Amino acid sequence: MSLSVSIPLALGLNSTTARADEGMWMPSQLPDIAAQLKAAGFRGKARDLAELAKPPMNAVVKVGGASGAFVSKDGLVLTNHHVAFGVIQYNSRPGRDLIQDGYIAADRAAELPANPDYRVLVTTGFDRITDRILAGASGKQGRAYFDAVDAATKAVVAECEREPGTRCSVANMYYGTDFYLVRQLELRDVRLVYAPPNAIGNYGGEVDNFVWPRHAGDFTLLRAYVGKDGKPADYSPDNVPYVPPAHLQVSTRNVKEGDFAMLAGYPGITFRHRMASEFANQIDCQLPSRVALYRTMIDVIEGTAAKDEAARVAYASQVRGLKNTLKRAQGELDGLRRSDAARVRREDEAAMFAWLDKQPEAAVTRADIAAAQAVLDAGVATRERDQLIGVIQSQTQLLRAAITVQRWANERTKPDAQRETGYQQRDEVLITGQLKQAQRRYAAQVEKALLTELLTQYQALPAAQRVAEFDAVFGTTPAQLKQKLDAMYAGTQFDVEANRLAAMQADRTTLASSNDTLLRTAAQLMPALLRLDEEAKASAGELLRLRPAYMRALIAYRKSQGRAVYPDANSTLRVSYGRISAMDPRDGVHYRPLTTVQGIVEKHTGEDPFDAPRPLLDAIAKGDFGTTAEPSLGTQTVNLLTNLDTTGGNSGSPVLDAQGKLIGLNFDSNWEAVSASWMYDPRFKRAIHVDMRYLRWLLAKVYPAPHLLEEMNLPAE
């Protein structure tokens, strides 16, 4: 059997054998599994799900890096409280704590603007362009291969974005095997409409995070606006609500265990098709290191901000994100060990190689796979350094802003098509938006403390992992580090928004003459950052060239087993389907798939994170649940559990019933299933959702918003 079988054909021939509860399917694949969808309980037409311009897919949107859906004809967007947490935090300040108190806009004039870089993206096109992307890469290797793919990608994106208000990207499927052009309408004026108090939206906090049973009302309502001409526009009081091509209708029926459920959203990234050596590295090194690092960063930020209310509010969103990453990493590590993932993947790969060795072209395929493994092995040598330098750039506010400004000035000297991705003209609005909000999420003492910890760890690295420019800027001893950081933050005015925006417009010569210590620091670090970036691109280019050999072998091997291969998640629109499902996670323990408000009362302690608001407790005690009560339980439901296949980025994904109506809002996975980003284990994989009956009850009886219920065509109780 030849390994040159096309990817789409391989998928089409084998998709009918996939399990209904596994798979993050591209919508275009769903007609191939129509029989499975129907057998699972779907009552619509699978071919309609493949049409991004038709309901329900055109109602599903990307929101702030995660997912959401339109739920009214006037641009009302439903997503998670934690997905919109940055918007809530952005509008909070001492004396107006929307995180604690929540927010209900009495009318549209009271809806609050989101942070300037917050976006709602509506996917309007998804086209296979593999031949065009790879045409110039033939015969090239390493950095040259990377550059050829990068140049073709930028050309395609630039052509696509000639249409105003359109955001385009190229999605890499099957690790360099297939490429798709994604077109999205970019809605830039997003406003806060309804957010429950944090003690509802995040009830249970980190204690309950990734844990079932859950009792969180993790939802927020936003609204997308456009200019009076109907086109995307920056925030203006004169803008009007966006009219989406379709919106989802919230269901008013009761749901039960075994009911069909389907989820559509934008899962971030999975690694299920990675090599066995990468599984082992993740379990043995990468995850333990990440757990330790993120735990330390959280301790530093919280400890430094503890006595400063303004600093605590400023870093609330960042801390929440760090805690989520930490708990996810720990859960992923525990889950991969529980499933013995390294052994399972190693044995599966060995069986694949045994099959491969009997196929034509095996020697050529094996050579490419061995070369890819050599690239991976080389990267292991600097993983600690690379992780530290990565978080130094991503988890600071002012230093990150200064580095961004310096890189922007450097890239602006090049033709737009030759600029680094993320620093092209198309990115100027987003970068400016990030610079505008930096001071709202910054406190000097916190950033200095965080950098002290990260750079102290860097100074402890072996000499072979050290970088000359970092040593020169920050010193090589703790005493030198303290002196240099004190001077750096004492001599900067980059905490003033006007100074950051002015620097964004300055050229390299002007920036080089600046006396601002943070700008000078960023300029000194830039040669090292560019050099490390070049090295990373060379490795990425080789893997982009070589990984398809592994994927073609894996897909052909799965075909020989009668199994389908869906692509690893990559932030493109995907669909999962299954059922509302109970779970038996271990001996003697049974998870019922519905929780109720009685669990809120049982957990309530009066202290964070189980400090339920008094209006909620009073409403529960009153027992007036109206039409939202679950008849079989005689009370109000809160969350529900399904066996849907999800991962990070699926937060805010709508969960639909067999008729396509909205029954749930995805917000989490159970602890036992966090490792599903690497390995799917049907015994443990579950997804956790806000039951839409709980949302309806809160809006009707607890923190009333009758105008929003009316807008969503829902009964008042």
Side-chain angles (χ1 to χ4, degrees), residues 415-433:
D416 194 62
Q418 296 177 20
R419 292 193 201 179
E420 175 64 22
T421 299
Y423 291 89
Q424 293 180 277
Q425 194 60 45
R426 66 195 289 268
D427 303 303
E428 183 172 7
V429 172
L430 278 172
I431 294 174
T432 301

Side-chain angles (χ1 to χ4, degrees), residues 419-615:
R419 292 193 201 179
E420 175 64 22
T421 299
Y423 291 89
Q424 293 180 277
Q425 194 60 45
R426 66 195 289 268
D427 303 303
E428 183 172 7
V429 172
L430 278 172
I431 294 174
T432 301
Q434 292 165 0
L435 294 176
K436 282 182 177 178
Q437 64 178 310
Q439 78 278 0
R440 295 199 186 187
R441 297 178 177 178
Y442 165 78
Q445 72 274 22
V446 177
E447 184 155 320
K448 282 173 61 178
L450 182 60
L451 274 173
T452 297
E453 174 59 38
L454 295 174
L455 289 164
T456 297
Q457 291 190 33
Y458 163 80
Q459 289 179 343
L461 291 174
Q465 292 196 51
R466 300 277 282 277
V467 180
E469 290 88 344
F470 272 74
D471 289 350
V473 170
F474 298 113
T476 57
T477 67
Q480 290 174 346
L481 175 60
K482 182 180 185 307
Q483 179 185 16
K484 289 177 179 292
L485 287 179
D486 286 344
M488 184 190 310
Y489 283 91
T492 186
Q493 295 295 315
F494 226 52
D495 55 343
V496 177
E497 180 177 309
N499 294 338
R500 295 192 300 275
L501 297 181
M504 177 75 174
Q505 300 304 318
D507 57 27
R508 295 172 66 182
T509 302
T510 303
L511 290 180
S513 64
S514 172
N515 291 323
D516 189 283
T517 47
L518 263 180
L519 277 174
R520 291 168 59 186
T521 293
Q524 290 174 276
L525 294 177
M526 194 54 58
L529 297 176
L530 292 174
R531 186 172 65 253
L532 294 175
D533 192 42
E534 292 293 310
E535 294 172 3
K537 287 176 181 175
S539 296
E542 275 298 86
L543 289 176
L544 197 60
R545 179 178 72 89
L546 297 167
R547 278 194 192 274
Y550 188 88
M551 283 308 309
R552 284 190 290 268
L554 181 63
I555 290 170
Y557 173 58
R558 293 283 184 256
K559 180 181 179 181
S560 75
Q561 297 175 305
R563 297 171 59 185
V565 178
Y566 49 86
D568 263 321
N570 57 2
S571 295
T572 56
L573 184 59
R574 303 295 181 90
V575 175
S576 304
Y577 68 99
R579 298 181 184 278
I580 297 174
S581 181
M583 179 183 173
D584 298 309
R586 53 193 176 277
D587 185 49
V589 177
H590 177 73
Y591 288 166
R592 187 179 68 183
L594 296 172
T595 60
T596 72
V597 292
Q598 274 61 50
I600 295 173
V601 177
E602 291 169 2
K603 290 180 176 179
H604 176 70
T605 63
E607 297 181 358
D608 185 66
F610 298 108
D611 186 13
R614 178 48 53 187

Side-chain angles (χ1 to χ4, degrees), residues 128-185:
R128 186 171 182 264
I129 56 167
T130 304
D131 292 344
R132 182 172 177 182
I133 294 298
L134 294 181
S138 179
K140 297 178 180 177
Q141 298 183 9
R143 178 60 195 272
Y145 193 96
F146 179 95
D147 286 344
V149 172
D150 188 53
T153 297
K154 289 174 179 174
V156 168
V157 168
E159 178 183 304
C160 179
E161 290 186 348
R162 289 174 186 165
E163 182 179 348
T166 300
R167 192 75 176 178
C168 301
S169 59
V170 173
N172 175 351
M173 299 288 183
Y174 304 103
Y175 297 103
T177 307
D178 243 352
F179 294 87
Y180 287 79
L181 174 63
V182 184
R183 295 182 184 86
Q184 294 175 310
L185 186 70

Side-chain angles (χ1 to χ4, degrees), residues 37-61:
L37 278 166
K38 184 176 180 180
F42 181 56
R43 295 295 172 257
K45 296 179 179 178
R47 65 175 179 270
D48 289 341
L49 298 177
E51 296 292 335
L52 300 185
K54 290 184 178 180
M57 289 300 127
N58 58 355
V60 181
V61 293

Side-chain angles (χ1 to χ4, degrees), residues 149-296:
V149 172
D150 188 53
T153 297
K154 289 174 179 174
V156 168
V157 168
E159 178 183 304
C160 179
E161 290 186 348
R162 289 174 186 165
E163 182 179 348
T166 300
R167 192 75 176 178
C168 301
S169 59
V170 173
N172 175 351
M173 299 288 183
Y174 304 103
Y175 297 103
T177 307
D178 243 352
F179 294 87
Y180 287 79
L181 174 63
V182 184
R183 295 182 184 86
Q184 294 175 310
L185 186 70
E186 183 181 42
L187 302 176
R188 307 193 299 272
D189 184 355
V190 183
R191 305 185 195 179
L192 178 63
V193 178
Y194 184 106
N198 194 57
I200 289 178
N202 191 35
Y203 190 68
E206 287 308 309
V207 176
D208 270 6
N209 193 16
F210 296 118
V211 173
W212 185 265
R214 292 294 290 276
H215 300 86
D218 193 351
F219 72 92
T220 292
L221 287 162
L222 307 169
R223 193 183 306 279
Y225 282 77
V226 292
K228 289 184 177 180
D229 60 359
K231 297 179 180 179
D234 293 332
Y235 169 79
S236 168
D238 296 328
N239 285 348
V240 297
Y242 170 68
V243 179
H247 65 274
L248 301 179
Q249 177 61 51
V250 176
S251 172
T252 57
R253 75 176 186 86
N254 294 306
V255 297
K256 64 183 184 304
E257 182 175 356
D259 282 358
F260 175 86
M262 179 174 67
L263 173 148
Y266 292 83
I269 185 168
T270 57
F271 312 93
R272 294 178 187 172
H273 305 322
R274 291 292 182 97
M275 297 185 188
S277 65
E278 294 174 278
F279 273 68
N281 178 60
Q282 186 76 356
I283 296 166
D284 296 339
C285 304
Q286 203 64 49
L287 285 172
S289 174
R290 187 180 305 160
V291 166
L293 178 61
Y294 275 69
R295 183 175 290 126
T296 298

